[in-house]
Amino acid sequence: MTEPQAIAPEQDIEKARRVLGQRNLVFVGLMGAGKSAIGRLVSQMLEIPFVDSDHEIERVSRMTIPELFEAYGEPEFRALEARVIKRLLKTGPRVLSTGGGAFMNEITRTMVLNNGLSVWLKADLDVLWARVSKRDSRPLLKTANPRQTLSDLLDQRYPVYARADVTVTSRDDDKEIIASETVMALARLDSGQDTVPNS
């Protein structure tokens, strides 16, 4: 079985690597935006490691995210999340997907903006709801009207997510296309300085 071919042109992949340097590429956005799925594909295209901050939190705490919310509440969870992301940002390059609330935490957001390159996967409410309503594992959606809760989160969080370095639209399209669009968006940040000697 052959690996799926990256749609992003090779020169864009090279430019994206150059833009990233030794930093982490940090995916931010609401639950259901595709941060982990797209992040994994981008990491394959750029040939750098992938890590999911939620999985890392679960690994170090030996508890699931819903269990952490239940036991300690959201403020304590956000503090743990900030510590884990701070540690992950110290080494790179890698692709890092974060939980939906991570970028809302001012400490975490400042660390990401200062030490990483951030990508907001922006999706509309219908796309997000179609994805998250299939699973009952989202602590913030355990409300009487989860779709309205998601809509409220969208209203609150989108102005903050907009501070990310790059915005890519997440929609019902092949994940490879959205991953490629992410790489091409990064490539556009390249200053055009070609450091490769013409020999």
Side-chain angles (χ1 to χ4, degrees):
M1 206 168 132
T2 58
E3 286 287 306
Q5 290 301 302
I7 301 164
E10 188 60 42
Q11 71 249 32
D12 281 350
I13 292 172
E14 285 304 320
K15 285 180 180 177
R17 285 195 193 113
R18 184 160 55 206
V19 166
L20 193 57
Q22 294 302 306
R23 294 178 293 176
N24 281 287
L25 183 64
V26 183
F27 279 87
V28 303
L30 262 183
M31 60 186 88
K35 299 181 297 287
S36 295
I38 304 302
R40 278 196 184 85
L41 288 171
V42 170
S43 79
Q44 289 167 18
M45 289 179 185
L46 299 182
E47 297 178 341
I48 58 177
F50 170 82
V51 65
D52 181 310
S53 67
D54 279 355
H55 292 168
E56 191 65 10
I57 290 163
E58 290 181 338
R59 187 183 70 77
V60 299
S61 68
R62 296 194 175 94
M63 295 172 77
T64 67
I65 303 296
E67 284 169 350
L68 286 164
F69 265 81
E70 181 73 27
Y72 301 110
E74 187 173 2
E76 200 55 44
F77 171 77
R78 295 298 170 207
L80 171 61
E81 181 177 56
R83 291 195 297 275
V84 168
I85 290 174
K86 180 180 182 180
R87 177 173 57 78
L88 292 171
L89 287 172
K90 285 180 178 172
T91 54
R94 65 159 72 86
V95 174
L96 169 61
S97 77
T98 62
F103 203 65
M104 299 303 294
N105 179 306
E106 189 177 353
I107 295 167
T108 303
R109 183 170 65 250
T110 301
M111 288 190 300
V112 169
L113 292 174
N114 290 343
N115 303 299
L117 189 62
S118 49
V119 176
W120 173 25
L121 282 183
K122 181 181 183 181
D124 68 29
L125 179 62
D126 289 340
V127 169
L128 295 171
W129 178 246
R131 293 172 181 174
V132 302
S133 60
K134 293 172 186 164
R135 289 192 315 190
D136 187 30
S137 60
R138 311 282 186 173
L140 295 179
L141 295 185
K142 293 191 182 301
T143 61
N145 187 341
R147 185 186 166 97
Q148 185 59 51
T149 303
L150 185 63
S151 177
D152 292 345
L153 285 170
L154 187 148
D155 291 341
Q156 293 162 18
R157 293 181 175 183
Y158 275 26
V160 178
Y161 292 151
R163 299 184 202 175
D165 298 302
V166 173
T167 301
V168 175
T169 302
S170 180
R171 58 201 184 277
D172 284 330
D173 215 332
D174 286 347
K175 291 192 287 284
E176 288 78 11
I177 291 173
I178 295 165
S180 297
E181 287 174 358
T182 303
V183 169
M184 290 187 278
L186 296 175
R188 287 195 291 274
L189 299 177
D190 186 51
S191 63
Q193 294 284 318
D194 195 344
T195 55
V196 181
N198 298 320
S199 57

